[in-house]
Amino acid sequence: MFSSRPDKMARQSGAPRGASSFSMLGPDTAITGDIRADADIHVEGRIEGDVACHGLVQGEQSTIIGTVRAETVRLAGTLRGTVIARDVVILATARIEGDVSYETLTMELGAQLAGTLKPGGAEAAPAIALTARPEAELILTAAE
């Protein structure tokens, strides 16, 4: 079910409001357009667009092209764009082309970064609050 109502944003079926939830985009999923979620997102596929969420986990084979705004980000795949997050973990398999703004950063040996690291830059980004709402957007909801 798709909804534009903010009170019905991505939560697991049966989960009470305010409970932690996540959405997974599998390896066979390709999205062109911006994604906005109050939940955590696990990406194994391809996204061409901006992502704003609470937490992002990126799989090794995935690709994100766009700006990522989140509280926590764990990158393992390819990212071309900007990352703005409080806590950033860049794994050895990550290939990043772009700037990373963070408050805390962990980067494994072997990770590739072609861009700049900006400590303290995450102050500009509470993930959802500062993301402009486009006229059309995809919001995942649980069937009720």
Side-chain angles (χ1 to χ4, degrees):
M1 175 195 304
F2 296 96
S3 170
S4 62
R5 292 182 48 200
D7 62 327
K8 296 205 170 231
M9 284 188 184
R11 33 181 199 109
Q12 292 176 308
S13 180
R17 293 190 192 285
S20 177
S21 64
F22 75 96
S23 295
M24 172 133 182
L25 302 175
D28 59 341
T29 303
I31 294 178
T32 300
D34 298 342
I35 297 175
R36 176 186 163 110
D38 287 335
D40 295 338
I41 298 177
H42 186 123
V43 177
E44 291 293 336
R46 179 180 180 88
I47 298 173
E48 291 186 33
D50 297 340
V51 178
C53 59
H54 181 268
L56 175 77
V57 175
Q58 181 192 34
E60 290 182 24
Q61 303 302 315
S62 72
T63 299
I64 298 173
I65 301 170
T67 297
V68 172
R69 289 180 182 268
E71 291 293 318
T72 61
V73 174
R74 183 177 177 93
L75 304 171
T78 299
L79 187 134
R80 288 186 210 111
T82 302
V83 176
I84 303 168
R86 296 202 191 291
D87 301 311
V88 176
V89 176
I90 303 173
L91 301 177
T93 56
R95 307 296 175 253
I96 300 170
E97 296 175 22
D99 299 335
V100 178
S101 296
Y102 62 91
E103 288 196 18
T104 61
L105 173 69
T106 302
M107 188 168 177
E108 289 184 348
L109 185 63
Q112 295 179 11
L113 172 68
T116 60
L117 295 173
K118 299 178 182 177
E123 294 170 2
I128 302 299
L130 295 181
T131 303
R133 292 184 69 107
E135 287 185 28
E137 61 184 34
L138 171 66
I139 299 176
L140 305 173
T141 62
E144 296 194 18

